[in-house]
Amino acid sequence: MFNDRARIHVVAGRGGDGALSFRREKHVPKGGPDGGDGGPGGSVVLVADPALRDLSAFRTRRAIAAGKGGHGGGSGRHGAAGRDVELRVPVGTEVRDDAGELLADLTRPAARLVVARGGSPGRGNKNFATPTRQTPRFAEIGLPGEEADIELHLKLLADAALVGQPNAGKSSLLRRISNAKPKVAEYPFTTLAPVLGTVDAPDGRQLVVADVPGLIEGAAEGVGLGHEFLAHLERARALVHVIDAAAGDPAEQFRAVDRELGAYGHGLEELPQIVVLNKIDIAPAPSLGLDDQRILGVFPLSCATGEGVETLKRSLFSLIPPAVEVILDDDAVPDFLVYRPKPRRPAFRILRTDRGYRVVGRPPDEDELDEALRAAGVREGDEVVVGEETFEYR
Ligand SMILES: Nc1nc2c(ncn2[C@@H]2O[C@H](COP(=O)(O)OP(=O)(O)OP(=O)(O)O)[C@@H](O)[C@H]2O)c(=O)[nH]1
Ligand SMILES: [Mg+2]
């Protein structure tokens, strides 16, 4: 099975609490404040890995949580940082939030995206000592980590993609020109999942070509297999359109597939096409008889005998438009990109006091406050101070 979509739930770790503690000294009941800070919560990070081919790793792994930050301790001890979780995804994975908003497109190897940021740690009471407040009887509570539902959608990154009706010989062609060995058989829909192959030129240049399941009438509306995979054509810079020269009017076959590309849209209708008239060993090469500006060339060949294959292979390197390098900075092209969501500033913070909790900053609404207090471990009867008001938690 080829999995090009996944939905995951990611939860970052809560930040550790700051400690409320005082030095113990001989003959002094309470020394100065020495509560250390909590550790930051771990984050959930996606990393684009060129070794991966699809998203099947997420079929059984839907909820992913990073580690909690440790709590601070006495004697100024800081809590340990929560463990980050790195999730590897194939290069070409689009990441969206549950509203469908595109967060990032991980098209470069090693590109990273923080999808849930760890909660910030609370500061220990040691931080709050001032000349006028020498015994701060409160410490900050760590904040919860971010939590999100994330959609992953892999769109293969290939320089060119093979399209055509079932049985036209797309997989046979990929076997001929690349290092890939997709299955070939005399029945339609042999290819059930996209396959990538690398085509090598004598001068060391390389092209990645994708073999996609055959397209039939109605593919764009969901008939057959092709439609699920049309998205994988979106990033190709050219299509290699394979036609069975022994199966009737080549122009009509061309139009049938082209209609599906047009019905799907997303720019497929504009991609340049390199037309292959295959199986000339069993039928004389017909002429295509089409005048279409998108057609960059027509190549009669036989995947069975190999006739014409070298000519096509060489031409691919000159006909496929070169990749446009996205230059992000004037002179520095980074090896990888790091995408980070903007940190959300907490509107309020919760301090632990020796009798309960104190809330500082913008007063949260009741639900928010309750959730935050419960995350902080509030108990029935604890004192909670919000602004000028003091009440008992129940
Ligand atoms: N005679 C002859 N047969 C060919 C040639 N190329 C492919 N075939 C045969 O055509 C049939 C289909 O080939 P495939 O490469 O599996 O075709 P496909 O386009 O990948 O088909 P799907 O994956 O089903 O869409 C197989 O039986 C091949 O052996 C050719 O040049 N000449
Ligand atoms: Mg095939």
Side-chain angles (χ1 to χ4, degrees):
M1 264 303 280
F2 174 81
N3 288 279
D4 56 0
R5 284 173 190 273
R7 221 188 133 77
I8 54 173
H9 185 74
V10 290
V11 188
R14 183 174 178 277
D17 295 342
L20 179 53
S21 161
F22 294 93
R23 251 193 318 276
R24 287 181 188 285
E25 286 164 38
K26 261 184 205 159
H27 318 300
V28 187
K30 245 176 197 177
D34 71 351
D37 302 342
S43 298
V44 181
V45 185
L46 301 182
V47 184
D49 183 343
L52 291 180
R53 281 284 162 257
D54 76 357
L55 294 164
S56 51
F58 297 104
R59 261 158 41 99
T60 51
R61 205 179 166 206
R62 295 244 168 84
I64 294 115
K68 291 189 178 101
H71 297 322
S75 315
R77 267 180 297 112
H78 291 334
R83 178 184 44 84
D84 284 343
V85 172
E86 285 195 352
L87 298 173
R88 296 179 316 130
V89 298
V91 176
T93 300
E94 280 185 358
V95 188
R96 290 176 191 274
D97 64 16
D98 57 352
E101 190 81 34
L102 184 67
L103 300 177
D105 191 0
L106 303 178
T107 56
R108 279 169 191 262
R112 298 167 71 82
L113 172 69
V114 178
V115 282
R117 188 189 285 267
S120 42
R123 286 172 292 174
N125 66 336
K126 192 167 179 253
N127 294 275
F128 300 107
T130 62
T132 53
R133 184 174 60 201
Q134 292 182 1
T135 50
R137 294 176 196 283
F138 58 86
E140 271 177 347
I141 295 297
L143 295 177
E146 290 178 334
E147 186 168 349
D149 283 308
I150 298 290
E151 285 294 345
L152 303 176
H153 187 186
L154 169 64
K155 290 183 178 175
L156 290 180
L157 287 170
D159 299 299
L162 298 168
V163 293
Q165 293 180 317
N167 243 2
K170 301 177 294 299
S171 302
S172 305
L173 183 60
L174 195 66
R175 289 179 81 99
R176 276 281 183 187
I177 62 175
S178 82
N179 60 347
K181 294 283 168 260
K183 187 174 166 192
V184 167
E186 68 264 17
Y187 50 85
F189 298 120
T190 306
T191 304
L192 299 174
V195 177
L196 292 179
T198 304
V199 185
D200 288 296
D203 63 5
R205 281 184 298 163
Q206 291 188 317
L207 286 173
V208 175
V209 176
D211 179 17
V212 183
L215 297 173
I216 55 170
E217 204 181 325
E221 281 84 56
V223 181
L225 285 168
H227 136 276
E228 279 183 52
F229 301 109
L230 283 165
H232 295 296
L233 306 177
E234 284 176 33
R235 292 174 166 175
R237 298 194 302 283
L239 301 176
V240 177
H241 193 151
V242 183
I243 289 171
D244 184 342
D249 182 6
E252 186 36 51
Q253 291 186 59
F254 177 93
R255 285 192 214 98
V257 166
D258 200 46
R259 273 195 296 274
E260 299 308 322
L261 300 176
Y264 177 80
H266 293 87
L268 300 192
E269 69 285 5
E270 284 168 15
L271 283 178
Q273 299 196 24
I274 295 160
V275 176
V276 167
L277 298 171
N278 187 30
K279 310 195 188 182
I280 58 166
D281 55 302
I282 50 173
S287 72
L288 183 61
L290 276 179
D291 183 24
D292 189 318
Q293 291 201 343
R294 295 169 302 161
I295 297 177
L296 304 179
V298 179
F299 296 85
L301 57 81
S302 166
C303 292
T305 65
E307 185 189 351
V309 170
E310 266 312 307
T311 310
L312 168 76
K313 194 171 156 179
R314 251 182 287 117
S315 307
L316 291 179
F317 286 90
S318 55
L319 292 178
I320 294 172
V324 183
E325 199 34 68
V326 182
I327 310 287
L328 295 137
D329 207 347
D330 282 349
D331 44 9
V333 178
D335 292 335
F336 61 87
L337 300 174
V338 175
Y339 304 87
R340 246 184 248 288
K342 284 208 180 67
R344 277 182 290 144
R345 274 203 157 278
F348 63 92
R349 297 242 22 181
I350 294 183
L351 305 177
R352 192 194 296 282
T353 65
D354 38 13
R355 271 179 295 173
Y357 298 89
R358 194 158 95 219
V359 181
V360 294
R362 177 185 68 73
D365 70 32
E366 232 172 90
D367 288 346
E368 261 183 306
L369 178 61
D370 195 51
E371 193 186 329
L373 285 171
R374 275 193 286 165
V378 72
R379 294 218 189 108
E380 190 90 0
D382 283 346
E383 178 191 277
V384 179
V385 184
V386 185
E388 303 286 287
E389 282 179 63
T390 302
F391 56 91
E392 209 173 88
Y393 185 82
R394 45 182 78 256

